[in-house]
Amino acid sequence: MLSFVLRRLLALPLILLAVTFLIVLVMQLIPVEQRAVAYTTDLAQLGRIQEIIKTNHLDGSVFEQYWRWLGQALGGNLGYSRTSGQPVLQTLLARFPATLELALFTLVPLIGLSVWMGSKAAVRRGKTADAVIRVIAVVAYSTPSFVLGVWLLVIFYGALNLLPGTGNLSNDSAIYFLTGEIKHVTGLTTIDALLAGRLDVFWDAIKHLIMPVFTLMVVGSAGLIKGTRTSMLEALNSDYIRTARAKGMTENVVIRKHARRNALLTIITLAGLSVSGLLQGAVIAETLFGYPGVGAWAAQAAALGDLPGVLGFALLAATVVVLMNLAIDLAYTVIDPRVRYA
């Protein structure tokens, strides 16, 4: 087992190299003058584009540009993001807690509700509950996240004024963090507010999370619901389930102890993929709701041709995906003792 984990971790640098090189290669499709604009700070510098190109070595080959960036990255310098006006590493450290908070508040209800609905649909196959849940999954799959987000903003922010439209805190609550009255202990606004005993700030942070969390839940639930239903149907139609029923076991025991447990391998895989997908979904959700996470910053960096910013986000995303896949593989051994890795 240890050798398997080490092999997967040793493969991580190779994956990061491939991902970042591919991004540098694709960015070469953007005209060099347009890429150079991302390095300007005022309109006066637009007249010195050629000088900026030379200074930042934007006219070199893709290998020269990548080698220069890689040398800096290995030294702990991921470059300077013109989008955030800060070094890339500093931007990631500052913004990642907000994205992590959004993911954590999405993950528990997403997995819990989707698995329950998928299991319910399988158990009630062909009945009303199954039909309703399948329709919900199809609608969720067919609804673009940005369309859903706009609907939520129009209804709950614009028309009803029940929820805040942007950010992760109101101005009044943010002052407590700026003045140091609430300390940045974990970087998660909800947890730090609770640690400081400020339930009003905690509730304010929760209200800012509701719409982006709901958007991510709806988008991510469709595949998990359908996958859980399919996996549960296969388990319920297997020979060991018929044997369990023949022994006189109650239906609840058959479903919880036998069917659901044997369907867990597929469910865990889909849940892990949903976690990885949250980082991608956060790009749209954070941009739409003005949430100050790495997703919104990455979208701005990509739009402005901010190569160091895009590469920094790619490093984070690739690392999360690789580690999540490793966690899924390790979870297999806990769920099914027959699974062993050499």
Side-chain angles (χ1 to χ4, degrees):
M1 176 66 72
L2 180 59
S3 61
F4 169 77
V5 173
L6 290 176
R7 287 199 305 272
R8 293 291 293 271
L9 292 178
L10 289 174
L12 177 59
L14 298 177
I15 295 173
L16 296 181
L17 286 173
V19 169
T20 51
F21 179 77
L22 182 60
I23 290 175
V24 173
L25 182 63
V26 171
M27 292 293 282
Q28 303 309 302
L29 299 176
I30 302 175
V32 65
E33 290 80 7
Q34 187 174 339
R35 283 186 280 130
V37 172
Y39 290 81
T40 61
T41 56
D42 55 62
L43 293 177
Q45 290 183 321
L46 292 178
R48 299 189 290 108
I49 288 294
Q50 294 303 320
E51 180 182 340
I52 293 173
I53 292 174
K54 294 291 184 182
T55 302
N56 295 279
H57 307 282
L58 299 179
D59 55 346
S61 69
V62 61
F63 298 102
E64 292 172 349
Q65 293 182 54
Y66 183 71
W67 184 254
R68 183 176 297 276
W69 175 84
L70 182 60
Q72 294 178 341
L74 293 176
N77 178 17
L78 297 180
Y80 185 83
S81 172
R82 304 287 171 172
T83 305
S84 64
Q86 295 177 323
V88 171
L89 184 58
Q90 184 178 339
T91 304
L92 287 173
L93 293 176
R95 286 178 169 262
F96 182 68
T99 299
L100 178 62
E101 187 170 37
L102 180 61
L104 291 176
F105 274 88
T106 303
L107 183 60
V108 175
L110 169 63
I111 295 178
L113 187 60
S114 298
V115 171
W116 178 82
M117 291 177 69
S119 301
K120 193 75 172 178
V123 173
R124 301 292 183 182
R125 181 183 184 182
K127 299 182 179 179
T128 303
D130 181 28
V132 171
I133 291 173
R134 281 192 291 167
V135 169
I136 292 174
V138 171
V139 171
Y141 184 78
S142 305
T143 305
S145 56
F146 65 90
V147 173
L148 175 61
V150 170
W151 287 348
L152 294 176
L153 283 171
V154 169
I155 296 172
F156 294 100
Y157 174 62
L160 301 178
N161 196 27
L162 292 176
L163 296 172
T166 60
N168 63 339
L169 284 173
S170 64
N171 292 333
D172 292 339
S173 297
I175 290 175
Y176 294 115
F177 285 94
L178 293 174
T179 59
E181 183 173 335
I182 299 179
K183 303 294 183 182
H184 289 279
V185 179
T186 64
L188 310 182
T189 54
T190 51
I191 303 301
D192 290 343
L194 286 178
L195 292 176
R198 294 303 304 258
L199 294 181
D200 55 332
V201 178
F202 169 79
W203 176 239
D204 181 55
I206 290 294
K207 288 194 295 184
H208 281 80
L209 281 166
I210 291 175
M211 287 196 290
V213 163
F214 184 78
T215 301
L216 290 175
M217 277 184 58
V218 171
V219 173
S221 63
L224 190 52
I225 291 173
K226 295 175 69 176
T228 300
R229 180 182 181 275
T230 301
S231 182
M232 281 291 293
L233 284 175
E234 291 178 357
L236 289 171
N237 291 327
S238 59
D239 291 337
Y240 61 84
I241 292 296
R242 284 190 284 270
T243 302
R245 285 170 173 160
K247 291 180 178 180
M249 294 184 180
T250 63
E251 193 65 15
N252 284 336
V253 172
V254 170
I255 293 171
R256 288 188 288 104
K257 188 176 180 180
H258 296 283
R260 189 172 295 166
R261 181 177 179 83
N262 284 277
L264 272 180
L265 289 180
T266 302
I267 294 173
I268 287 294
T269 301
L270 294 172
L273 294 176
S274 298
V275 174
S276 301
L278 285 180
L279 197 59
Q280 303 170 22
V283 174
I284 297 176
E286 290 180 5
T287 301
L288 188 60
F289 294 103
Y291 200 81
V294 293
W297 165 66
Q300 294 173 1
L304 296 175
D306 181 1
L307 182 58
V310 174
L311 288 172
F313 179 77
L315 284 173
L316 174 64
T319 302
V320 169
V321 170
V322 170
L323 293 180
M324 182 52 59
N325 287 336
L326 175 59
I328 292 172
D329 290 338
L330 295 178
Y332 289 164
T333 63
V334 177
I335 298 170
D336 190 347
R338 295 171 298 178
V339 178
R340 287 290 181 267
Y341 300 111

